[in-house]
């Protein structure tokens, strides 16, 4: 018997660490979304969080194309996803395509931080969503050229990732054993000693 949405949330959340924002531990990337719209007021807060992200020269190179299930933007984004992602992402009420300018507006030079900045803004978006009880799942598995063409995105912008957004659904609704197993699997992370270094390959003393 698949776990319920409430049970899977317990399995997925990271162990709480005193002083770390609860949204960071509660956020995870589900594939099953409930058939329930996300109120506009919440979406505004979620994009507001992204808006206040830091960026190189405060260029705010990010743009977010947002589609609501049933509209043309949503259909276009969904159609660019690879088959594996299409199989589950179409249950989400909202699909977002993150786009970044590759040139600095202030001098026309290449902005090599734009994808970094887009990712940072997307991260704030996902955390704000988690804080509001809204789930997100980002995807790199889509046809970037097709997305660029479908939205006539100018060539000095680059597409980043697609993010599915909505309320957590029941794992059983995925209807596919492999996906249900992924939905129920505990999350894992590298230890701090592997990622925080004082010299290459040398863990920092924190
Ligand atoms: C940039 C990016 C691309 C991703 N691409 C996909 C994808 O194409 N399909 C998918 O199912 N999950 C995708 N994921 C989700 C990751 O697999 C997931 O974030 C990772 O396993 C960690 O799990 P967690 O987000 O639940 O902590 C992507 C995540 C990110 C940030």
């Amino acid at each position: 018997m698949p776990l319920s949405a409430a049970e899977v949330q317990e399995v997925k959340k990271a162990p709480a660490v005193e002083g770390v924002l609860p949204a960071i531990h509660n956020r995870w990337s589900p594939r099953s979304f409930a058939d329930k719209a996300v109120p506009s007021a919440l979406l505004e807060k979620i994009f507001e969080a992204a808006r206040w992200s830091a960026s190189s020269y405060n260029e705010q190179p990010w743009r977010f194309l947002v589609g609501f299930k049933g509209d043309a933007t949503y259909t276009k984004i969904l159609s660019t996803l690879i088959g594996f992602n299409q199989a589950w992402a179409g249950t989400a009420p909202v699909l977002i395509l993150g786009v970044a300018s590759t040139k600095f507006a202030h001098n026309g030079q290449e902005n090599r931080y734009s994808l970094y900045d887009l990712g940072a803004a997307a991260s704030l978006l996902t955390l704000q969503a988690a804080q509001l009880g809204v789930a997100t799942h980002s995807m790199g598995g889509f046809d970037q050229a097709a997305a660029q063409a479908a939205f006539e995105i100018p060539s000095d912008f680059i597409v980043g990732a697609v993010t599915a957004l909505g309320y957590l659904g029941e794992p059983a609704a995925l209807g596919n054993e492999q996906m249900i197993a992924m939905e129920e699997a505990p999350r894992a992370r590298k230890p701090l000693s592997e990622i925080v270094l004082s010299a290459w390959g040398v863990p920092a003393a924190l």
Side-chain angles (χ1 to χ4, degrees):
M1 260 267 291
L3 298 178
S4 68
E7 286 168 332
V8 98
Q9 177 62 37
E10 286 307 303
V11 170
K12 291 287 187 178
K13 76 177 185 196
V17 172
E18 169 79 40
V20 175
L21 295 175
I24 290 175
H25 288 117
N26 293 337
R27 184 214 61 81
W28 63 282
S29 304
R31 293 189 174 84
S32 181
F33 288 88
D35 185 15
K36 181 178 162 191
V38 178
S40 297
L42 291 199
L43 281 173
E44 265 190 43
K45 292 182 208 297
I46 288 166
F47 284 110
E48 176 71 4
R51 190 165 82 94
W52 284 100
S53 190
S55 61
S56 177
Y57 284 97
N58 196 22
E59 279 273 329
Q60 305 158 62
W62 45 73
R63 302 288 183 274
F64 298 100
L65 283 155
V66 55
F68 300 93
K69 199 168 190 169
D71 76 12
T73 306
Y74 186 102
T75 307
K76 275 186 200 173
I77 298 174
L78 187 66
S79 72
T80 68
L81 298 180
I82 59 168
F84 173 80
N85 287 333
Q86 261 185 35
W88 59 266
T91 66
V94 180
L95 288 178
I96 301 162
L97 174 63
V99 183
S101 167
T102 57
K103 292 218 176 103
F104 282 117
H106 71 271
N107 63 7
Q109 297 295 304
E110 183 199 356
N111 178 0
R112 67 176 294 275
Y113 303 102
S114 64
L115 274 182
Y116 182 96
D117 292 342
L118 172 64
S123 196
L124 291 193
L125 181 155
T126 62
L127 289 180
Q128 182 62 49
Q131 171 68 18
L132 296 170
V134 175
T136 53
H137 192 143
S138 290
M139 289 162 269
F142 70 106
D143 184 333
Q144 284 87 6
Q148 192 110 12
F151 289 104
E152 299 180 31
I153 296 169
S155 59
D156 51 352
F157 281 77
I158 185 171
V159 295
V162 171
T163 301
L165 182 149
Y167 292 102
L168 184 59
E170 295 298 325
L174 288 165
N176 167 314
E177 269 185 36
Q178 188 204 349
M179 281 204 205
I180 292 172
M182 290 163 83
E183 201 78 340
E184 294 182 343
R187 292 159 67 231
R189 285 300 188 268
K190 292 171 180 154
L192 284 180
S193 59
E194 195 177 330
I195 61 170
V196 187
L197 312 174
S198 57
W200 197 248
V202 182
L206 289 177

